[in-house]
Structure formats: structure tokens, C-alpha cells
Amino acid sequence: MFVIFGVTGGAQNAGVVTLTCPACGSTAAHRIVKRSRRISLFFIPLIPLGTSYHSDCTACGAQYDVPRDEAERMIQWGAQHR
């Protein structure tokens, strides 16, 4: 009997906001990315392991981790100011 299991991951664009980049100091659009990981059995994702957020600066390409509550606040703020 074979059992195939592993960890799968995915990323989705959660929103775009205009921020000052801590790396380059320019005010530019930042893409907020939501990453999730799950345990899969026979290539079917079943059990969530966790979710993390990070921000990508469009000016310099720097990436930095963002806490969940801050990421959700930035996404809501960006949606209100479109």
C-alpha cells in the first residue's frame, strides 16, 4: 500500500497599497502577498499549517514579512482609498 503525502503551498495577491519602502526609502506601490501551506494526502490539500504575509516593493524589489493584523489593516486601507 502506497501513501503519498507532502506539504503544498500557494501564494495569492491580497492587495496593493502605496507605502514608503524601508529598504530604499521611496514611496511606491507595495504588493501584499498571502502565502499558505497545507499538508496534502494523495495531492489533495487537507490540513492547513499556517498563513503568512509579505510585502513586495515595486521600486526596488525588496521583500519583507508583515504581521497578519498589519497586513489585513493595510489591505482594508488600500481598498477604502481607491
Side-chain angles (χ1 to χ4, degrees):
M1 177 177 189
F2 284 102
V3 176
I4 300 172
F5 68 94
V7 177
T8 59
Q12 67 183 32
N13 187 11
V16 178
V17 294
T18 303
L19 300 171
T20 301
C21 179
C24 67
S26 65
T27 302
H30 286 244
R31 185 172 57 125
I32 308 299
V33 179
K34 178 181 177 181
R35 301 185 74 102
S36 59
R37 293 176 26 154
R38 296 176 184 210
I39 293 177
S40 61
L41 180 64
F42 294 106
F43 305 105
I44 300 170
L46 297 175
I47 303 169
L49 290 177
T51 302
S52 64
Y53 292 87
H54 73 268
S55 176
D56 297 330
C57 176
T58 58
C60 68
Q63 292 184 356
Y64 56 94
D65 293 332
V66 178
R68 180 182 189 142
D69 58 340
E70 186 178 339
E72 291 173 352
R73 189 172 54 246
M74 287 191 300
I75 294 166
Q76 287 177 352
W77 184 84
Q80 291 173 356
H81 292 90
R82 284 189 184 166

